[in-house]
Amino acid sequence: MDKKKVAVPLVCHGHSRPVVDLFYSPVTPDGFFLISASKDSSPMLRNGETGDWIGTFEGHKGAVWSCCLDTNALRAASGSADFSAKLWDALTGDELQSFEHKHIVRACAFSEDTHLLLTGGFEKILRIFDLNRPDAPPREVDNSPGSIRTVAWLHSDQTILSSCADIGGVRLWDIRSGKIVQTLETKSPVTSAEVSQDGRYITTADGSTVKFWDANHFGLVKSYDMPCNVESASLEPKFGNKFVAGGEDMWIHVFDFHTGEQIGCNKGHHGPVHCVRFSPGGESYASGSEDGTIRIWQLSPASHDENDSLPGNGPTGKVKASADDVAQKIEVLQISKEGKTAEKEKATDA
């Protein structure tokens, strides 16, 4: 009897609590990178292609809800339940700046030109920090109708997008006037909002629905009902012909963009899926879960037997490595502070 063929993801261990946000950098001269936010308070940076751990940003005192990289993947930012957003050097892991807030920071995003950092959270205030003058007070846009869940930039940094944790809809703000210029209406609160790589679509997940909006004229292009409540959705960036969604049933569903037909379903997580994102080239996508793992799935996976598994590649996983890999790891280990270094040494000795 033939064994069932299934997709086998790269499993990235390392976080000790649920993974709640993922962000891929664009392709840079050094490849592309994946940063993850977790309730364990320590965002992690990985090679976006292999999932290999590069370093851990240490300094937050509470759950980290949001993370992002700038266009060149030289700086990272994170928003946390410790009432702060932090700016990091993505090459050394050093904290460059801590922006204090008066409540939990739920979302953060770099502007396309990398000069500004946008934050939002429980305070219902959108803040725009000028990274060229990090000590200057931020610009504040304070008439959000609810606690802010997601933020993004679009239209060459002329427009800001935000959604709320407690009410439906996506609001689009004109950055010059600070006023809402459009609201994209949804029944349930929008838990995930992604601007497509080419700037054409806004992909939203609300309740058990994934919607695609025209990012320039703001009309609804497509709306598909999902098999369960989904927390996150992502559109394939290269051809725009597929999208993935993940949520409370623990599976990653792959759909045809044009018809809404399910064309794949990946099982592997042991808890609800909080975030899914496509890599910048569209060849793979990552999922983060309540189970504390990140899984990277190939879009057209090679077939494996059901009982095959790929080696874990977390910061303490025992993996066979070449001399070159070891040399690279030693270089990047500087990113992590002393605590993680000790942990790494223990793992090496094990």
Side-chain angles (χ1 to χ4, degrees), residues 19-24 34 191-194 203 205 210 226 230-236 243-247 250-255 266 269 272-279 284-289 294-295 297:
V19 176
V20 291
D21 194 27
L22 292 170
F23 184 95
Y24 275 105
L34 175 65
T191 49
S192 167
E194 175 191 75
T203 304
V210 172
M226 296 287 106
V230 294
E231 201 170 323
S232 186
S234 184
L235 180 62
E236 192 279 327
F243 68 95
V244 292
M250 303 188 269
W251 300 346
I252 318 298
H253 301 271
V254 187
F255 298 92
N266 292 321
H269 282 298
V273 175
H274 295 307
C275 43
V276 291
R277 284 294 177 259
F278 262 103
S279 65
S284 61
Y285 49 93
S287 55
S289 164
I294 301 160
R295 290 168 193 259
W297 313 81

mmCIF file of all heavy atoms in Angstrom, residues 19-24 34 191-194 203 205 210 226 230-236 243-247 250-255 266 269 272-279 284-289 294-295 297:
data_model
loop_
_atom_site.group_PDB
_atom_site.id
_atom_site.type_symbol
_atom_site.label_atom_id
_atom_site.label_comp_id
_atom_site.label_asym_id
_atom_site.label_seq_id
_atom_site.Cartn_x
_atom_site.Cartn_y
_atom_site.Cartn_z
ATOM 1 N N VAL A 19 3.967 32.093 19.262
ATOM 2 C CA VAL A 19 4.480 33.015 18.237
ATOM 3 C C VAL A 19 3.275 33.779 17.686
ATOM 4 O O VAL A 19 2.344 33.184 17.152
ATOM 5 C CB VAL A 19 5.202 32.249 17.113
ATOM 6 C CG1 VAL A 19 5.651 33.195 16.009
ATOM 7 C CG2 VAL A 19 6.405 31.491 17.681
ATOM 8 N N VAL A 20 3.301 35.116 17.813
ATOM 9 C CA VAL A 20 2.110 35.909 17.496
ATOM 10 C C VAL A 20 2.276 36.824 16.283
ATOM 11 O O VAL A 20 1.295 37.385 15.799
ATOM 12 C CB VAL A 20 1.657 36.735 18.721
ATOM 13 C CG1 VAL A 20 1.105 35.808 19.806
ATOM 14 C CG2 VAL A 20 2.798 37.578 19.284
ATOM 15 N N ASP A 21 3.502 36.991 15.780
ATOM 16 C CA ASP A 21 3.684 37.815 14.586
ATOM 17 C C ASP A 21 4.922 37.367 13.830
ATOM 18 O O ASP A 21 5.920 36.949 14.441
ATOM 19 C CB ASP A 21 3.817 39.297 14.975
ATOM 20 C CG ASP A 21 3.663 40.234 13.779
ATOM 21 O OD1 ASP A 21 2.977 39.855 12.804
ATOM 22 O OD2 ASP A 21 4.215 41.358 13.822
ATOM 23 N N LEU A 22 4.842 37.456 12.503
ATOM 24 C CA LEU A 22 5.969 37.131 11.620
ATOM 25 C C LEU A 22 6.098 38.227 10.581
ATOM 26 O O LEU A 22 5.101 38.810 10.148
ATOM 27 C CB LEU A 22 5.720 35.793 10.894
ATOM 28 C CG LEU A 22 5.715 34.519 11.727
ATOM 29 C CD1 LEU A 22 5.213 33.351 10.876
ATOM 30 C CD2 LEU A 22 7.110 34.213 12.264
ATOM 31 N N PHE A 23 7.332 38.496 10.174
ATOM 32 C CA PHE A 23 7.555 39.517 9.143
ATOM 33 C C PHE A 23 8.770 39.123 8.319
ATOM 34 O O PHE A 23 9.839 38.844 8.860
ATOM 35 C CB PHE A 23 7.791 40.884 9.808
ATOM 36 C CG PHE A 23 7.944 42.018 8.830
ATOM 37 C CD1 PHE A 23 6.854 42.807 8.490
ATOM 38 C CD2 PHE A 23 9.178 42.302 8.246
ATOM 39 C CE1 PHE A 23 6.984 43.856 7.582
ATOM 40 C CE2 PHE A 23 9.315 43.336 7.340
ATOM 41 C CZ PHE A 23 8.212 44.122 7.012
ATOM 42 N N TYR A 24 8.604 39.092 6.994
ATOM 43 C CA TYR A 24 9.720 38.837 6.080
ATOM 44 C C TYR A 24 10.272 40.165 5.571
ATOM 45 O O TYR A 24 9.499 41.070 5.204
ATOM 46 C CB TYR A 24 9.250 38.040 4.864
ATOM 47 C CG TYR A 24 9.210 36.544 5.039
ATOM 48 C CD1 TYR A 24 8.002 35.883 5.201
ATOM 49 C CD2 TYR A 24 10.382 35.782 5.000
ATOM 50 C CE1 TYR A 24 7.951 34.500 5.329
ATOM 51 C CE2 TYR A 24 10.344 34.405 5.130
ATOM 52 C CZ TYR A 24 9.132 33.764 5.295
ATOM 53 O OH TYR A 24 9.091 32.403 5.415
ATOM 54 N N LEU A 34 13.647 36.632 8.267
ATOM 55 C CA LEU A 34 12.351 36.455 8.919
ATOM 56 C C LEU A 34 12.512 36.821 10.385
ATOM 57 O O LEU A 34 13.404 36.306 11.063
ATOM 58 C CB LEU A 34 11.908 34.992 8.782
ATOM 59 C CG LEU A 34 10.628 34.570 9.513
ATOM 60 C CD1 LEU A 34 9.409 35.281 8.938
ATOM 61 C CD2 LEU A 34 10.439 33.050 9.418
ATOM 62 N N THR A 191 -7.988 41.008 12.198
ATOM 63 C CA THR A 191 -6.846 40.534 12.983
ATOM 64 C C THR A 191 -5.552 40.525 12.180
ATOM 65 O O THR A 191 -4.473 40.368 12.732
ATOM 66 C CB THR A 191 -7.128 39.119 13.514
ATOM 67 O OG1 THR A 191 -7.594 38.309 12.430
ATOM 68 C CG2 THR A 191 -8.191 39.148 14.595
ATOM 69 N N SER A 192 -5.671 40.670 10.850
ATOM 70 C CA SER A 192 -4.485 40.664 9.995
ATOM 71 C C SER A 192 -4.779 41.531 8.783
ATOM 72 O O SER A 192 -5.832 41.406 8.160
ATOM 73 C CB SER A 192 -4.163 39.228 9.557
ATOM 74 O OG SER A 192 -3.221 39.202 8.503
ATOM 75 N N ALA A 193 -3.859 42.449 8.468
ATOM 76 C CA ALA A 193 -3.996 43.287 7.277
ATOM 77 C C ALA A 193 -2.629 43.379 6.611
ATOM 78 O O ALA A 193 -1.650 43.751 7.257
ATOM 79 C CB ALA A 193 -4.504 44.670 7.643
ATOM 80 N N GLU A 194 -2.578 43.006 5.346
ATOM 81 C CA GLU A 194 -1.300 42.966 4.630
ATOM 82 C C GLU A 194 -1.448 43.722 3.306
ATOM 83 O O GLU A 194 -2.406 43.493 2.567
ATOM 84 C CB GLU A 194 -0.931 41.505 4.349
ATOM 85 C CG GLU A 194 0.309 41.308 3.500
ATOM 86 C CD GLU A 194 0.459 39.855 3.031
ATOM 87 O OE1 GLU A 194 -0.281 39.438 2.112
ATOM 88 O OE2 GLU A 194 1.316 39.150 3.586
ATOM 89 N N THR A 203 -4.944 42.645 1.907
ATOM 90 C CA THR A 203 -5.518 41.352 2.303
ATOM 91 C C THR A 203 -5.897 41.422 3.776
ATOM 92 O O THR A 203 -5.045 41.754 4.610
ATOM 93 C CB THR A 203 -4.487 40.220 2.092
ATOM 94 O OG1 THR A 203 -4.043 40.231 0.741
ATOM 95 C CG2 THR A 203 -5.084 38.859 2.424
ATOM 96 N N ALA A 205 -8.046 39.572 7.206
ATOM 97 C CA ALA A 205 -8.717 38.422 7.824
ATOM 98 C C ALA A 205 -9.600 38.959 8.933
ATOM 99 O O ALA A 205 -9.122 39.695 9.807
ATOM 100 C CB ALA A 205 -7.694 37.445 8.385
ATOM 101 N N VAL A 210 -11.778 35.924 4.575
ATOM 102 C CA VAL A 210 -10.597 36.603 4.029
ATOM 103 C C VAL A 210 -11.082 37.484 2.880
ATOM 104 O O VAL A 210 -11.822 37.030 2.005
ATOM 105 C CB VAL A 210 -9.531 35.605 3.546
ATOM 106 C CG1 VAL A 210 -8.401 36.329 2.810
ATOM 107 C CG2 VAL A 210 -8.965 34.818 4.720
ATOM 108 N N MET A 226 -14.055 31.117 5.041
ATOM 109 C CA MET A 226 -13.049 30.128 5.412
ATOM 110 C C MET A 226 -13.695 28.964 6.163
ATOM 111 O O MET A 226 -14.800 29.101 6.709
ATOM 112 C CB MET A 226 -11.983 30.786 6.311
ATOM 113 C CG MET A 226 -11.194 31.892 5.613
ATOM 114 S SD MET A 226 -10.023 31.234 4.407
ATOM 115 C CE MET A 226 -10.843 31.658 2.879
ATOM 116 N N VAL A 230 -10.237 32.416 11.043
ATOM 117 C CA VAL A 230 -8.815 32.561 10.709
ATOM 118 C C VAL A 230 -8.292 33.857 11.311
ATOM 119 O O VAL A 230 -9.004 34.857 11.377
ATOM 120 C CB VAL A 230 -8.563 32.524 9.181
ATOM 121 C CG1 VAL A 230 -8.905 31.168 8.609
ATOM 122 C CG2 VAL A 230 -9.308 33.619 8.452
ATOM 123 N N GLU A 231 -7.044 33.795 11.763
ATOM 124 C CA GLU A 231 -6.452 34.972 12.392
ATOM 125 C C GLU A 231 -5.560 35.735 11.428
ATOM 126 O O GLU A 231 -5.289 36.914 11.625
ATOM 127 C CB GLU A 231 -5.648 34.520 13.622
ATOM 128 C CG GLU A 231 -5.432 35.645 14.600
ATOM 129 C CD GLU A 231 -4.845 35.168 15.923
ATOM 130 O OE1 GLU A 231 -5.212 34.076 16.391
ATOM 131 O OE2 GLU A 231 -4.016 35.893 16.467
ATOM 132 N N SER A 232 -5.108 35.051 10.358
ATOM 133 C CA SER A 232 -4.129 35.685 9.485
ATOM 134 C C SER A 232 -4.249 35.135 8.069
ATOM 135 O O SER A 232 -4.611 33.966 7.869
ATOM 136 C CB SER A 232 -2.719 35.407 10.036
ATOM 137 O OG SER A 232 -1.744 36.110 9.307
ATOM 138 N N ALA A 233 -3.935 35.983 7.083
ATOM 139 C CA ALA A 233 -3.947 35.555 5.680
ATOM 140 C C ALA A 233 -2.862 36.315 4.928
ATOM 141 O O ALA A 233 -2.517 37.450 5.294
ATOM 142 C CB ALA A 233 -5.303 35.804 5.044
ATOM 143 N N SER A 234 -2.332 35.683 3.865
ATOM 144 C CA SER A 234 -1.245 36.303 3.106
ATOM 145 C C SER A 234 -1.365 35.920 1.638
ATOM 146 O O SER A 234 -1.624 34.756 1.310
ATOM 147 C CB SER A 234 0.109 35.837 3.672
ATOM 148 O OG SER A 234 1.192 36.469 3.026
ATOM 149 N N LEU A 235 -1.184 36.906 0.763
ATOM 150 C CA LEU A 235 -1.294 36.698 -0.683
ATOM 151 C C LEU A 235 0.079 36.407 -1.265
ATOM 152 O O LEU A 235 1.064 37.076 -0.922
ATOM 153 C CB LEU A 235 -1.874 37.961 -1.331
ATOM 154 C CG LEU A 235 -2.064 37.962 -2.852
ATOM 155 C CD1 LEU A 235 -3.055 36.896 -3.300
ATOM 156 C CD2 LEU A 235 -2.520 39.351 -3.318
ATOM 157 N N GLU A 236 0.154 35.399 -2.147
ATOM 158 C CA GLU A 236 1.419 35.053 -2.823
ATOM 159 C C GLU A 236 1.884 36.288 -3.615
ATOM 160 O O GLU A 236 1.115 36.849 -4.403
ATOM 161 C CB GLU A 236 1.175 33.846 -3.750
ATOM 162 C CG GLU A 236 2.446 33.197 -4.278
ATOM 163 C CD GLU A 236 3.033 33.929 -5.462
ATOM 164 O OE1 GLU A 236 2.267 34.489 -6.266
ATOM 165 O OE2 GLU A 236 4.270 33.973 -5.584
ATOM 166 N N PHE A 243 -3.370 32.227 -2.065
ATOM 167 C CA PHE A 243 -3.197 32.844 -0.755
ATOM 168 C C PHE A 243 -3.286 31.764 0.315
ATOM 169 O O PHE A 243 -3.810 30.665 0.065
ATOM 170 C CB PHE A 243 -4.209 33.971 -0.504
ATOM 171 C CG PHE A 243 -5.643 33.552 -0.359
ATOM 172 C CD1 PHE A 243 -6.209 33.331 0.893
ATOM 173 C CD2 PHE A 243 -6.456 33.397 -1.478
ATOM 174 C CE1 PHE A 243 -7.552 32.973 1.037
ATOM 175 C CE2 PHE A 243 -7.799 33.040 -1.346
ATOM 176 C CZ PHE A 243 -8.336 32.821 -0.089
ATOM 177 N N VAL A 244 -2.715 32.051 1.475
ATOM 178 C CA VAL A 244 -2.754 31.111 2.591
ATOM 179 C C VAL A 244 -3.477 31.768 3.762
ATOM 180 O O VAL A 244 -3.488 32.998 3.895
ATOM 181 C CB VAL A 244 -1.338 30.654 3.036
ATOM 182 C CG1 VAL A 244 -0.687 29.806 1.963
ATOM 183 C CG2 VAL A 244 -0.451 31.840 3.392
ATOM 184 N N ALA A 245 -4.096 30.931 4.588
ATOM 185 C CA ALA A 245 -4.795 31.429 5.774
ATOM 186 C C ALA A 245 -4.616 30.422 6.908
ATOM 187 O O ALA A 245 -4.546 29.211 6.671
ATOM 188 C CB ALA A 245 -6.281 31.638 5.482
ATOM 189 N N GLY A 246 -4.527 30.927 8.128
ATOM 190 C CA GLY A 246 -4.369 30.046 9.294
ATOM 191 C C GLY A 246 -5.167 30.577 10.458
ATOM 192 O O GLY A 246 -5.352 31.799 10.587
ATOM 193 N N GLY A 247 -5.635 29.659 11.298
ATOM 194 C CA GLY A 247 -6.435 30.091 12.443
ATOM 195 C C GLY A 247 -6.634 29.017 13.473
ATOM 196 O O GLY A 247 -5.720 28.226 13.756
ATOM 197 N N MET A 250 -5.761 25.003 13.547
ATOM 198 C CA MET A 250 -4.340 24.578 13.611
ATOM 199 C C MET A 250 -3.747 24.222 12.246
ATOM 200 O O MET A 250 -2.597 23.825 12.164
ATOM 201 C CB MET A 250 -4.124 23.401 14.582
ATOM 202 C CG MET A 250 -4.594 23.686 15.977
ATOM 203 S SD MET A 250 -4.146 22.408 17.140
ATOM 204 C CE MET A 250 -5.569 21.337 17.069
ATOM 205 N N TRP A 251 -4.514 24.338 11.172
ATOM 206 C CA TRP A 251 -4.022 23.975 9.845
ATOM 207 C C TRP A 251 -3.709 25.233 9.028
ATOM 208 O O TRP A 251 -4.267 26.294 9.276
ATOM 209 C CB TRP A 251 -5.076 23.148 9.093
ATOM 210 C CG TRP A 251 -5.451 21.875 9.769
ATOM 211 C CD1 TRP A 251 -4.798 21.260 10.803
ATOM 212 C CD2 TRP A 251 -6.586 21.045 9.475
ATOM 213 N NE1 TRP A 251 -5.451 20.107 11.172
ATOM 214 C CE2 TRP A 251 -6.556 19.948 10.367
ATOM 215 C CE3 TRP A 251 -7.637 21.127 8.547
ATOM 216 C CZ2 TRP A 251 -7.523 18.942 10.357
ATOM 217 C CZ3 TRP A 251 -8.592 20.123 8.527
ATOM 218 C CH2 TRP A 251 -8.533 19.047 9.419
ATOM 219 N N ILE A 252 -2.841 25.058 8.035
ATOM 220 C CA ILE A 252 -2.561 26.145 7.096
ATOM 221 C C ILE A 252 -3.273 25.796 5.790
ATOM 222 O O ILE A 252 -2.936 24.797 5.144
ATOM 223 C CB ILE A 252 -1.046 26.308 6.817
ATOM 224 C CG1 ILE A 252 -0.218 26.165 8.094
ATOM 225 C CG2 ILE A 252 -0.778 27.637 6.104
ATOM 226 C CD1 ILE A 252 -0.486 27.181 9.143
ATOM 227 N N HIS A 253 -4.248 26.601 5.419
ATOM 228 C CA HIS A 253 -5.033 26.338 4.217
ATOM 229 C C HIS A 253 -4.476 27.154 3.054
ATOM 230 O O HIS A 253 -4.184 28.348 3.210
ATOM 231 C CB HIS A 253 -6.496 26.722 4.444
ATOM 232 C CG HIS A 253 -7.133 25.974 5.585
ATOM 233 N ND1 HIS A 253 -7.760 24.763 5.421
ATOM 234 C CD2 HIS A 253 -7.216 26.256 6.910
ATOM 235 C CE1 HIS A 253 -8.222 24.344 6.586
ATOM 236 N NE2 HIS A 253 -7.904 25.234 7.507
ATOM 237 N N VAL A 254 -4.361 26.522 1.884
ATOM 238 C CA VAL A 254 -3.894 27.195 0.671
ATOM 239 C C VAL A 254 -5.076 27.274 -0.298
ATOM 240 O O VAL A 254 -5.749 26.274 -0.544
ATOM 241 C CB VAL A 254 -2.730 26.417 0.006
ATOM 242 C CG1 VAL A 254 -2.138 27.225 -1.148
ATOM 243 C CG2 VAL A 254 -1.642 26.081 1.035
ATOM 244 N N PHE A 255 -5.315 28.470 -0.846
ATOM 245 C CA PHE A 255 -6.476 28.686 -1.711
ATOM 246 C C PHE A 255 -6.062 29.290 -3.050
ATOM 247 O O PHE A 255 -5.039 29.987 -3.138
ATOM 248 C CB PHE A 255 -7.468 29.648 -1.046
ATOM 249 C CG PHE A 255 -8.039 29.155 0.244
ATOM 250 C CD1 PHE A 255 -7.440 29.473 1.457
ATOM 251 C CD2 PHE A 255 -9.186 28.362 0.261
ATOM 252 C CE1 PHE A 255 -7.971 29.023 2.659
ATOM 253 C CE2 PHE A 255 -9.731 27.906 1.461
ATOM 254 C CZ PHE A 255 -9.124 28.230 2.662
ATOM 255 N N ASN A 266 -2.093 22.150 5.066
ATOM 256 C CA ASN A 266 -0.901 21.644 5.749
ATOM 257 C C ASN A 266 -1.158 21.516 7.240
ATOM 258 O O ASN A 266 -1.545 22.477 7.904
ATOM 259 C CB ASN A 266 0.285 22.575 5.500
ATOM 260 C CG ASN A 266 0.719 22.536 4.055
ATOM 261 O OD1 ASN A 266 0.730 21.483 3.431
ATOM 262 N ND2 ASN A 266 1.063 23.687 3.494
ATOM 263 N N HIS A 269 1.019 21.997 13.099
ATOM 264 C CA HIS A 269 1.009 22.747 14.362
ATOM 265 C C HIS A 269 0.140 22.041 15.401
ATOM 266 O O HIS A 269 -0.796 21.321 15.064
ATOM 267 C CB HIS A 269 0.483 24.163 14.127
ATOM 268 C CG HIS A 269 1.500 25.085 13.522
ATOM 269 N ND1 HIS A 269 2.679 25.415 14.152
ATOM 270 C CD2 HIS A 269 1.513 25.746 12.332
ATOM 271 C CE1 HIS A 269 3.368 26.250 13.383
ATOM 272 N NE2 HIS A 269 2.678 26.450 12.276
ATOM 273 N N PRO A 272 -3.515 26.707 17.828
ATOM 274 C CA PRO A 272 -4.035 27.645 16.825
ATOM 275 C C PRO A 272 -2.908 28.414 16.126
ATOM 276 O O PRO A 272 -1.864 28.696 16.727
ATOM 277 C CB PRO A 272 -4.905 28.596 17.653
ATOM 278 C CG PRO A 272 -5.321 27.798 18.839
ATOM 279 C CD PRO A 272 -4.165 26.889 19.141
ATOM 280 N N VAL A 273 -3.141 28.753 14.866
ATOM 281 C CA VAL A 273 -2.156 29.494 14.077
ATOM 282 C C VAL A 273 -2.464 30.989 14.210
ATOM 283 O O VAL A 273 -3.581 31.422 13.936
ATOM 284 C CB VAL A 273 -2.207 29.052 12.600
ATOM 285 C CG1 VAL A 273 -1.271 29.903 11.747
ATOM 286 C CG2 VAL A 273 -1.844 27.573 12.482
ATOM 287 N N HIS A 274 -1.476 31.754 14.659
ATOM 288 C CA HIS A 274 -1.687 33.187 14.887
ATOM 289 C C HIS A 274 -1.253 34.050 13.715
ATOM 290 O O HIS A 274 -1.719 35.181 13.573
ATOM 291 C CB HIS A 274 -0.937 33.635 16.144
ATOM 292 C CG HIS A 274 -1.448 33.019 17.406
ATOM 293 N ND1 HIS A 274 -2.775 33.072 17.777
ATOM 294 C CD2 HIS A 274 -0.818 32.317 18.386
ATOM 295 C CE1 HIS A 274 -2.943 32.446 18.929
ATOM 296 N NE2 HIS A 274 -1.768 31.981 19.314
ATOM 297 N N CYS A 275 -0.317 33.556 12.900
ATOM 298 C CA CYS A 275 0.191 34.399 11.814
ATOM 299 C C CYS A 275 0.718 33.551 10.667
ATOM 300 O O CYS A 275 1.321 32.496 10.890
ATOM 301 C CB CYS A 275 1.295 35.332 12.329
ATOM 302 S SG CYS A 275 2.478 34.527 13.427
ATOM 303 N N VAL A 276 0.452 33.995 9.446
ATOM 304 C CA VAL A 276 1.020 33.377 8.237
ATOM 305 C C VAL A 276 1.527 34.497 7.341
ATOM 306 O O VAL A 276 0.896 35.537 7.225
ATOM 307 C CB VAL A 276 -0.005 32.510 7.460
ATOM 308 C CG1 VAL A 276 -0.367 31.259 8.233
ATOM 309 C CG2 VAL A 276 -1.255 33.290 7.102
ATOM 310 N N ARG A 277 2.691 34.274 6.721
ATOM 311 C CA ARG A 277 3.239 35.268 5.796
ATOM 312 C C ARG A 277 4.026 34.572 4.693
ATOM 313 O O ARG A 277 4.777 33.622 4.954
ATOM 314 C CB ARG A 277 4.172 36.255 6.526
ATOM 315 C CG ARG A 277 3.456 37.310 7.354
ATOM 316 C CD ARG A 277 2.653 38.284 6.509
ATOM 317 N NE ARG A 277 1.888 39.264 7.265
ATOM 318 C CZ ARG A 277 0.595 39.198 7.498
ATOM 319 N NH1 ARG A 277 -0.119 38.136 7.097
ATOM 320 N NH2 ARG A 277 -0.040 40.176 8.132
ATOM 321 N N PHE A 278 3.863 35.065 3.451
ATOM 322 C CA PHE A 278 4.643 34.574 2.327
ATOM 323 C C PHE A 278 6.025 35.203 2.329
ATOM 324 O O PHE A 278 6.193 36.372 2.701
ATOM 325 C CB PHE A 278 3.950 34.935 1.003
ATOM 326 C CG PHE A 278 3.132 33.813 0.428
ATOM 327 C CD1 PHE A 278 1.763 33.817 0.542
ATOM 328 C CD2 PHE A 278 3.753 32.755 -0.238
ATOM 329 C CE1 PHE A 278 0.993 32.781 0.009
ATOM 330 C CE2 PHE A 278 3.001 31.712 -0.772
ATOM 331 C CZ PHE A 278 1.625 31.722 -0.651
ATOM 332 N N SER A 279 7.016 34.431 1.892
ATOM 333 C CA SER A 279 8.360 34.961 1.680
ATOM 334 C C SER A 279 8.314 35.926 0.492
ATOM 335 O O SER A 279 7.391 35.861 -0.331
ATOM 336 C CB SER A 279 9.342 33.822 1.403
ATOM 337 O OG SER A 279 9.014 33.188 0.179
ATOM 338 N N SER A 284 7.918 30.136 -0.612
ATOM 339 C CA SER A 284 7.575 29.480 0.653
ATOM 340 C C SER A 284 6.770 30.447 1.504
ATOM 341 O O SER A 284 6.672 31.641 1.195
ATOM 342 C CB SER A 284 8.849 29.041 1.393
ATOM 343 O OG SER A 284 9.649 30.174 1.699
ATOM 344 N N TYR A 285 6.189 29.917 2.574
ATOM 345 C CA TYR A 285 5.463 30.774 3.509
ATOM 346 C C TYR A 285 5.686 30.225 4.903
ATOM 347 O O TYR A 285 5.963 29.042 5.099
ATOM 348 C CB TYR A 285 3.973 30.853 3.169
ATOM 349 C CG TYR A 285 3.292 29.529 2.945
ATOM 350 C CD1 TYR A 285 2.648 28.856 3.982
ATOM 351 C CD2 TYR A 285 3.311 28.929 1.683
ATOM 352 C CE1 TYR A 285 2.035 27.632 3.773
ATOM 353 C CE2 TYR A 285 2.706 27.700 1.464
ATOM 354 C CZ TYR A 285 2.070 27.059 2.512
ATOM 355 O OH TYR A 285 1.473 25.844 2.307
ATOM 356 N N ALA A 286 5.590 31.116 5.883
ATOM 357 C CA ALA A 286 5.852 30.735 7.275
ATOM 358 C C ALA A 286 4.578 30.875 8.087
ATOM 359 O O ALA A 286 3.728 31.727 7.807
ATOM 360 C CB ALA A 286 6.941 31.621 7.865
ATOM 361 N N SER A 287 4.457 30.030 9.104
ATOM 362 C CA SER A 287 3.323 30.100 10.027
ATOM 363 C C SER A 287 3.848 30.093 11.456
ATOM 364 O O SER A 287 4.825 29.410 11.769
ATOM 365 C CB SER A 287 2.381 28.913 9.802
ATOM 366 O OG SER A 287 3.075 27.678 9.899
ATOM 367 N N GLY A 288 3.196 30.871 12.303
ATOM 368 C CA GLY A 288 3.562 30.913 13.723
ATOM 369 C C GLY A 288 2.351 30.532 14.550
ATOM 370 O O GLY A 288 1.227 30.920 14.235
ATOM 371 N N SER A 289 2.591 29.779 15.625
ATOM 372 C CA SER A 289 1.471 29.161 16.335
ATOM 373 C C SER A 289 1.550 29.319 17.847
ATOM 374 O O SER A 289 2.601 29.634 18.424
ATOM 375 C CB SER A 289 1.442 27.662 15.972
ATOM 376 O OG SER A 289 0.639 26.914 16.852
ATOM 377 N N ILE A 294 7.691 28.002 14.668
ATOM 378 C CA ILE A 294 7.478 28.583 13.337
ATOM 379 C C ILE A 294 7.688 27.443 12.357
ATOM 380 O O ILE A 294 8.628 26.661 12.509
ATOM 381 C CB ILE A 294 8.511 29.693 13.057
ATOM 382 C CG1 ILE A 294 8.408 30.808 14.099
ATOM 383 C CG2 ILE A 294 8.355 30.245 11.642
ATOM 384 C CD1 ILE A 294 9.650 31.668 14.178
ATOM 385 N N ARG A 295 6.827 27.320 11.375
ATOM 386 C CA ARG A 295 7.010 26.305 10.336
ATOM 387 C C ARG A 295 7.096 27.002 8.985
ATOM 388 O O ARG A 295 6.275 27.877 8.688
ATOM 389 C CB ARG A 295 5.863 25.286 10.363
ATOM 390 C CG ARG A 295 5.951 24.399 11.602
ATOM 391 C CD ARG A 295 4.721 23.555 11.870
ATOM 392 N NE ARG A 295 4.817 22.999 13.210
ATOM 393 C CZ ARG A 295 5.185 21.746 13.498
ATOM 394 N NH1 ARG A 295 5.449 20.896 12.525
ATOM 395 N NH2 ARG A 295 5.285 21.336 14.743
ATOM 396 N N TRP A 297 6.922 26.409 5.036
ATOM 397 C CA TRP A 297 6.381 25.451 4.079
ATOM 398 C C TRP A 297 6.754 25.856 2.664
ATOM 399 O O TRP A 297 6.625 27.026 2.302
ATOM 400 C CB TRP A 297 4.853 25.417 4.183
ATOM 401 C CG TRP A 297 4.301 25.315 5.573
ATOM 402 C CD1 TRP A 297 4.136 26.329 6.472
ATOM 403 C CD2 TRP A 297 3.835 24.129 6.230
ATOM 404 N NE1 TRP A 297 3.591 25.855 7.648
ATOM 405 C CE2 TRP A 297 3.379 24.500 7.525
ATOM 406 C CE3 TRP A 297 3.725 22.781 5.844
ATOM 407 C CZ2 TRP A 297 2.856 23.597 8.432
ATOM 408 C CZ3 TRP A 297 3.184 21.883 6.747
ATOM 409 C CH2 TRP A 297 2.768 22.286 8.031
#
